[in-house]
C-alpha cells in the first residue's frame, strides 16, 4: 500500500521539497549560476542534492499524489481540517491522519478583534485570549471515527510529557501520540499508545549526516498502521 | 553617489532578490527542470526574470555593497539597530536610514516570560504586554544625529494618518515619515516632512505591470537626501 499525501500548511511555512531552499540561511540564489551560453544553471556543489529533491518532487507531481492546502489563521485551519477529514472519511481505516501542525492553544476570535490598529500611546496592552477549541474529540468521534489518528504533544517540562500524552489518548480515543520536548524534538521523540512507549532517536552518526527524525518516525507509523488495519476490529495498539 | 546597503531583516522574512522565490505561492521547484544531460536548468518560461534577478544579486555580492543582518525578537532588533547605527554614524549626513521594519508596538520582555509552555487546561489566557521602547528619539538624538532618517507610519484609520505622522516628526526630530494605510500600502503612500505632503502612487498601468511602489519611493528619497546634503546646515525639508 502506498500513500497519497494531503499536506495542510500555514501559508509561507515550510513545504515538502521546497523547504530545503526557502528557509535556508544561505540565499537560494547563491546556488544558481549564470552560464556562458546565457542560461541559468545550478552550481555543481549544490546540484546533486537539488536534483534528488527535484526528482522526488516531480514524481509526486506526476503521480498527483501530493496535494498542498494552505491556511492562514487557526480558524481557517480548523474549518479546513474538518472539511478535509470529512471528505477523507470514505477511506475508513486506510487513511492516516498525522497532526503535526503546531496549532496555538490560544487565539483572539475575529469578533473580538480591534477594527483598527491598536494605539500604543497608553503604555502596555492587555490581551484576553480564548482557548482554541479542542478539535481532536470531534475529529475522532465524528469526522473520521474509522481513521488512524496520530497527534503530537509538545512540552518543555519532561515531567509532564508522558502523563499528558496518555491523558490525551484516554480523553480523545485516538491511536498514537508522538511526544516530544521543545529542546530535543529534532533528534528524539516517544511514540505513545495506550499500552506502550516506544522511543525513536537519531544516533550521533545520523545527526552528523543531517538525517531527519521524520525518516524514522514515518516508517514506524506506516508499519503500525498496516498492523492495525490487518487486526480486525482495530484493537487498541 | 551610490549607496551600499545594510539590510536588517527578521530571520526567514523576505530578503532582497530571493524574495521573488521564497514566498511565492508557486513552489520554487516548479521553475526548475531536469535536462536530458542530467543537469538542472530553469524552465524557459521563468528564466528571463530569474536571470535578471540573479544578475542584480551577483553584482551586489561582487561589489560587496549588500550586507544582510538577521534578527529574531524585537529586543534583538533594537540592540542590532543601536549597534549598526552607532557604527554608521561616522558617515554623518551621507547615510540614509530607511526604517521600514514593521516593529511591534507591544512585547513581553524575556524576564516576564513563562519558563515552561503555558498549560491550556484553565481556559483562556490573559497576556500583559509592555510597550516596545520608542527608539526613534535616542536614534535621532544620540545614535546618528547627523543622519538622514526616514521612518514609516502605518495606520488603518485614514483620519489619523497625517496628524500622527507630523506628530512623530515633531516628537523625534527626524526628516521624513512615509505614511501608509494597511489596505492600500502597496500602491499608495504619502511622503511627509515638517512642511509638506507628497503623495506617491502607482498608476493602474504600473499596477498591471507588477511595478512595486518602492521603485518610486526610493528615487524620491535619494533625490531629497542629495538636496538635504547639498543644503548646508541641513535645513528642515
Amino acid at each position: 500500500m502506498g500513500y497519497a499525501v494531503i499536506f495542510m500548511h500555514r501559508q509561507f511555512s515550510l513545504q515538502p521539497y521546497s523547504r530545503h531552499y526557502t528557509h535556508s540561511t544561505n540565499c537560494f540564489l547563491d546556488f544558481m549560476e549564470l552560464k556562458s551560453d546565457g542560461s541559468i544553471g545550478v552550481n555543481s556543489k549544490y546540484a546533486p542534492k537539488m536534483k534528488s529533491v527535484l526528482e522526488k518532487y516531480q514524481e509526486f507531481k506526476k503521480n498527483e499524489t501530493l496535494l498542498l492546502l494552505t491556511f492562514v489563521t487557526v480558524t481557517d485551519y480548523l474549518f479546513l481540517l474538518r472539511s478535509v477529514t470529512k471528505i477523507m472519511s470514505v477511506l475508513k481505516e486506510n487513511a492516516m491522519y498525522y497532526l503535526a501542525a503546531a496549532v496555538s492553544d490560544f487565539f483572539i476570535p475575529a469578533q473580538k478583534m480591534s477594527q483598527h490598529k491598536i494605539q500604543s500611546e497608553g503604555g502596555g496592552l492587555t490581551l484576553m485570549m480564548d482557548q482554541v477549541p479542542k478539535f481532536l474529540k470531534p475529529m475522532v468521534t465524528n469526522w473520521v471515527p474509522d481513521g488512524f489518528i496520530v497527534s503530537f504533544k509538545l512540552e518543555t517540562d519532561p515531567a509532564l510529557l508522558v502523563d499528558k500524552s496518555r491523558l490525551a489518548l484516554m480523553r480523545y480515543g485516538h491511536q498514537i501520540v508522538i511526544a516530544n520536548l521543545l529542546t530535543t524534538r529534532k533528534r528524539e521523540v516517544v511514540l505513545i499508545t495506550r499500552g506502550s512507549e516506544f522511543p525513536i532517536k537519531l544516533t550521533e552518526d545520523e545527526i552528523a549526516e543531517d538525517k531527519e527524525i521524520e525518516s524514522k518516525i514515518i516508517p514506524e507509523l506506516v508499519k503500525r498502521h498496516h498492523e492495525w488495519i490487518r487486526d480486525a476490529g482495530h484493537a487498541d495498539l
Side-chain angles (χ1 to χ4, degrees), chain A:
Chain A
M1 178 171 94
Y3 290 82
V5 174
I6 298 180
F7 182 74
M8 290 173 50
H9 64 284
R10 192 170 57 81
Q11 191 179 27
F12 305 136
S13 69
L14 293 169
Q15 290 176 38
Y17 308 110
S18 68
R19 70 192 173 96
H20 296 287
Y21 301 100
T22 51
H23 289 61
S24 168
T25 43
N26 276 26
C27 172
F28 129 78
L29 290 169
D30 289 327
F31 301 155
M32 311 301 287
E33 59 189 17
L34 293 167
K35 295 190 168 174
S36 50
D37 66 359
S39 70
I40 308 176
V42 177
N43 184 297
S44 57
K45 191 173 155 195
Y46 306 105
K49 186 183 170 191
M50 194 183 287
K51 194 176 166 186
S52 148
V53 169
L54 185 60
E55 281 169 348
K56 287 182 203 156
Y57 176 69
Q58 291 189 341
E59 194 180 323
F60 251 124
K61 290 259 291 186
K62 193 184 67 188
N63 299 335
E64 298 187 322
T65 49
L66 173 63
L67 176 63
L68 302 177
L69 295 178
T70 302
F71 58 88
V72 175
T73 69
V74 66
T75 308
D76 296 342
Y77 170 76
L78 295 177
F79 280 102
L80 184 63
L81 183 67
R82 188 176 65 177
S83 303
V84 169
T85 54
K86 282 189 167 179
I87 291 167
M88 286 180 67
S89 66
V90 297
L91 297 171
K92 302 279 184 188
E93 69 277 9
N94 296 304
M96 185 198 300
Y97 301 86
Y98 184 73
L99 300 168
V103 181
S104 26
D105 287 324
F106 307 100
F107 78 129
I108 298 181
Q111 69 272 21
K112 291 193 185 174
M113 279 194 195
S114 170
Q115 192 198 341
H116 282 299
K117 187 180 173 197
I118 297 167
Q119 297 298 317
S120 60
E121 305 296 327
L125 176 69
T126 300
L127 278 186
M128 315 277 273
M129 305 184 81
D130 288 12
Q131 197 171 353
V132 170
K134 296 287 181 193
F135 60 87
L136 253 172
K137 187 76 194 171
M139 181 173 168
V140 176
T141 310
N142 302 320
W143 305 345
V144 281
D146 300 319
F148 186 78
I149 300 176
V150 181
S151 74
F152 277 70
K153 178 66 74 182
L154 176 84
E155 293 293 338
T156 56
D157 184 354
L160 297 177
L161 188 58
V162 172
D163 284 354
K164 288 207 69 175
S165 301
R166 279 255 149 67
L167 191 65
L169 288 172
M170 302 298 286
R171 184 177 287 168
Y172 306 123
H174 60 303
Q175 283 68 43
I176 292 181
V177 171
I178 297 180
N180 54 152
L181 290 168
L182 186 64
T183 49
T184 59
R185 70 190 191 283
K186 292 190 176 170
R187 59 177 194 268
E188 184 174 348
V189 303
V190 186
L191 207 150
I192 297 181
T193 67
R194 257 158 278 175
S196 71
E197 288 167 33
F198 182 79
I200 297 180
K201 285 184 197 186
L202 292 179
T203 64
E204 291 302 321
D205 284 350
E206 288 168 337
I207 293 168
E209 288 160 16
D210 289 330
K211 195 170 166 117
E212 294 171 306
I213 194 152
E214 287 75 14
S215 70
K216 301 180 94 169
I217 295 174
I218 300 300
E220 181 64 28
L221 290 177
V222 167
K223 185 178 127 235
R224 287 175 183 239
H225 185 201
H226 286 201
E227 290 167 358
W228 180 78
I229 291 170
R230 189 194 58 204
D231 298 344
H234 310 143
D236 287 355
L237 294 175

